[in-house]
Each structure stands twice: as structure tokens, then as C-alpha cells.
Amino acid sequence: MRLTLVPAPDPRVYDDAVRSLPITSPLQGWGYGEARRTLGQEPLRFLIRGQGGQTVGALQLLRKRLVPGFSTLYAPRGPALESLDLLPAVAEAVRRVARPGDALLKIEPPQPVPADGRAVVPSDYGPFRRAETEQPEHTIVADLTRSEDDLFAGLHSMARRNVRTAQKLGVVAGRDDDFEAFWEIFTATNERAQLGAFPRAYYETMLREGNAYGGEAYLVLSRYEGRALAGGLFLAMGGTTAYLFGGSVRDDRLREDGTPYKDAKAPDAFYWNAMLDAKRRGYTLFDFWGIPRVLDESKHSYGVFKMKLKFSEMRVWYPAYDLSLNPAAPAIVRALRWRKTRNNLRKRGSADDVL
């Protein structure tokens, strides 16, 4: 099948297509591209049309300039499609619109592959070859089509106990507009774990633009006696909501008699109420967004993994695939890996990736 990429300048028309496709992701939404624009990346949006003119997909590409004359094209958790069988034809369609300096195309098809040892991750899709991802390749998801009672029963016993404790202590968790509280939690978590972060404008833009044209971007905070102790930023589209950024802080307050506040289990309340909120608003898949490919108990990421695992044991892969667009592509892949390793060493003193 020959496919055609038709430029999509209308954000509502584009997001309507992304939202309606069966294989889709919030990162293919218009708002995510606008957030990436603040980082100097150029979002390009297309509707993917079949030979009869019908829309069979939508594609948001981020053009990322490397050095003068060369750039890469990246489809974050995309493209959105009717079927993965269309990917070989998508490759040829992108070749026809790529610039001479576009050396490489990276895609991350938003179709999860169960990480249960029984499913095989495809090594290729036509000319696309398995490659490193930019988004977390390994993650935990929760099926929100189950009843609330079934969801709660499926939590680890420690999570159920902690959620009940938080409820008894009066922890309040839910959607919240307090960006300053989120930012305090997020930056404190990053500093504690030696993680990098984008400029503040990136997250503010994602919240604003992610809500503008048909998707959703929102905050969930977990508060104990008024103070936000855990929270996150979510991006949603179609049936999926994704917990992209967040964290938690310790409650270091003292009561009037000098005694410390109790551990109110605010992070557990955050996760559980975020899941309930998503379910009640019609989302069917909750993406906890990233766990380590290789488990190491000495690393911060292991604690994050154990926390998420208390709320769902459904682990999946979202593999990436590369398509060379000109002969410089192999050298560019090596250069990108070298740059990522250097950044890891500079930020955390380790060459290993976070996830």
C-alpha cells in the first residue's frame, strides 16, 4: 500500500485523528510537540492517508538539529496507526518528505509488547530496525477496565494497607492546579536522585498546550494537612493516561509539641487516587512511565520500580526502531550514544542510563 503524508496545520483536526486511532499515544498529541518546541525542536504533523484518501494514521515528527546540515526525525511513541502492518509503507512515505539533511528516523510504535517472556519483540518492521528508545522502553501499565474493587484487590497487600492508612489520616489526593507545589516536589526529587530536568517552561507549556486541542494534561497532588507531599504531571490522549513526571518529599514538619508528623503514606495515596481519577474519566490504560531494563538495588530507579510494582504487575515493552535516511546515519547513531553517555557521566557520575 502506498501512503501519503498530508501536512496537518489545524491542531484540532490533528488531535482528533490521534485520539481516534486504535494504536496511539499522548506523546503524538499537539501539546507534546509544542512543549518540545521550547527545547529548540521543530514539530511536524501529518495525517497519514491511504490510497483511497482515508486517514489511516497520524504522525508527529520532531526534527532535532545536530550539527549544521544534519538533523534527525523522531516520532515520540508514534506513529498513531490503524495497524502496525502499515509501518513499512510509513517508512517510504517519510522518505518522500524528508529533507536531504535528515539523516535518521526513529519511531516508537505505541503498541505495548507484554514482558512476560512469552511475547517476542519484533526485530524489524520492513526497513525499520530495532534500536535504542528515547522514551522509557520498559514500563508498567494498569488495565483500568476492571472494576474499582478488582483494581484495589489487585494491589500489593502493602499498597492496600498504606492506602487505607492514608485515608484514615485524612490524606487528600486528586487533581490540583498548584503548579508551584508540583514544581517543589519534582525539583526536590530530581536533586535527591541526581536526575536531570528540562527548563520549567517545558512543563508549563505541556500543561497549557496539552489541554488546548482535545487531549488532557493535568496535575495530581497528594496532600497531608495541607502540604503537598507527592504528585505528578500526566498527559492523556485517547484511552491512555501517562504519568510522565513527578515524585515525593518527606514531611519534615514538627507539631507544636515538637514531635514529627506521622508518615501519612502520601505517595501510595497519590498513585491509587491517580488511577481512580483516570478510570472515572474514561481512560482504560494507566502508564506508570518507565522502569529499569536492568534491576540494580543500589540505584534510585530500583526504589521507583518497587513502588510502581505495588500498584500493577503488568510489565510491557515499547521498543524503538530506526530507519537510515542517508549514509551518515550510522555515524550519527554512534555520536548520539556518545553524547548520552557523556551527559550521564556529567549529571550522575555514571555512564548508565536512568532506565
Side-chain angles (χ1 to χ4, degrees):
M1 175 187 289
R2 180 183 172 90
L3 300 178
T4 303
L5 300 187
V6 179
D10 187 321
R12 294 193 183 278
V13 171
Y14 174 78
D15 269 4
D16 281 348
V18 174
R19 186 173 58 249
S20 65
L21 287 158
I23 302 173
T24 192
S25 163
L27 272 62
Q28 280 292 290
W30 194 279
Y32 186 79
E34 291 307 297
R36 285 287 185 142
R37 193 189 295 276
T38 68
L39 305 179
Q41 300 171 12
E42 178 189 5
L44 310 167
R45 288 95 172 194
F46 303 93
L47 299 181
I48 304 174
R49 295 273 170 80
Q51 289 174 310
Q54 74 278 22
T55 297
V56 297
L59 174 62
Q60 176 164 249
L61 294 173
L62 302 175
R63 178 173 280 128
K64 301 195 286 186
R65 185 172 179 269
L66 300 175
V67 295
F70 286 105
S71 57
T72 62
L73 298 176
Y74 168 51
R77 283 280 176 95
L81 292 169
E82 284 190 348
S83 168
L84 295 185
D85 293 339
L86 297 171
L87 283 174
V90 169
E92 297 311 310
V94 172
R95 286 188 190 277
R96 291 194 292 272
V97 302
R99 293 176 179 173
D102 293 330
L104 180 76
L105 167 64
K106 182 181 292 291
I107 64 169
E108 295 168 339
Q111 178 71 60
V113 180
D116 56 8
R118 291 177 291 180
V120 176
V121 177
S123 60
D124 58 72
Y125 283 101
F128 287 107
R129 296 292 181 265
R130 181 89 182 270
E132 281 194 21
T133 60
E134 181 166 324
Q135 304 303 324
E137 182 179 35
H138 198 195
T139 188
I140 290 177
V141 297
D143 176 7
L144 300 182
T145 62
R146 295 176 292 164
S147 70
E148 291 185 12
D149 287 344
D150 285 346
L151 280 174
F152 191 74
L155 305 186
H156 188 279
S157 59
M158 183 180 295
R160 294 197 301 270
R161 182 168 62 249
N162 289 349
V163 168
R164 292 190 182 105
T165 296
Q167 291 171 339
K168 290 177 181 177
L169 291 174
V171 173
V172 177
R175 294 207 182 192
D176 204 301
D177 295 329
D178 191 346
F179 185 85
E180 293 299 331
F182 160 76
W183 190 248
E184 179 181 343
I185 291 168
F186 181 55
T187 54
T189 300
N190 287 340
E191 290 171 4
R192 185 173 69 244
Q194 294 182 297
L195 300 175
F198 296 123
R200 176 172 170 145
Y202 173 76
Y203 307 95
E204 292 175 324
T205 301
M206 190 176 298
L207 272 175
R208 182 181 66 252
E209 298 296 324
N211 275 309
Y213 307 112
E216 265 205 305
Y218 59 94
L219 301 175
V220 173
L221 296 179
S222 182
R223 297 178 180 272
Y224 178 44
E225 295 191 9
R227 183 180 177 186
L229 298 173
L233 189 159
F234 292 77
L235 194 63
M237 179 73 76
T240 299
T241 187
Y243 166 45
L244 297 185
F245 311 104
S248 63
V249 293
R250 291 186 180 277
D251 194 345
D252 55 4
R253 294 175 295 176
L254 297 176
R255 298 195 178 276
E256 291 184 359
D257 62 2
T259 59
Y261 274 63
K262 289 183 177 180
D263 179 1
K265 308 301 180 184
D268 295 82
F270 160 73
Y271 279 111
W272 174 239
N273 283 280
M275 292 170 67
L276 287 183
D277 172 84
K279 177 177 175 57
R280 291 167 182 172
R281 294 173 189 267
Y283 295 108
T284 57
L285 190 73
F286 187 101
D287 191 339
F288 289 84
W289 208 256
I291 57 174
R293 289 187 294 268
V294 179
L295 298 178
D296 184 340
E297 294 187 23
S298 68
K299 294 184 177 180
H300 167 80
S301 59
Y302 184 80
V304 175
F305 159 70
K306 294 294 287 185
M307 183 67 177
K308 294 176 179 179
L309 194 64
K310 291 193 301 183
F311 290 85
S312 177
E313 295 184 348
M314 190 184 303
R315 296 187 240 181
V316 298
W317 296 101
Y318 281 98
Y321 299 86
D322 283 355
L323 174 71
S324 296
L325 298 175
N326 77 31
I332 286 174
V333 170
R334 291 193 295 271
L336 291 174
R337 179 65 259 181
W338 174 82
R339 185 171 68 179
K340 191 173 185 180
T341 298
R342 187 184 65 174
N343 287 339
N344 288 342
L345 287 168
R346 178 173 55 84
K347 293 175 181 176
R348 297 188 303 280
S350 169
D352 296 338
D353 294 337
V354 174
L355 296 175

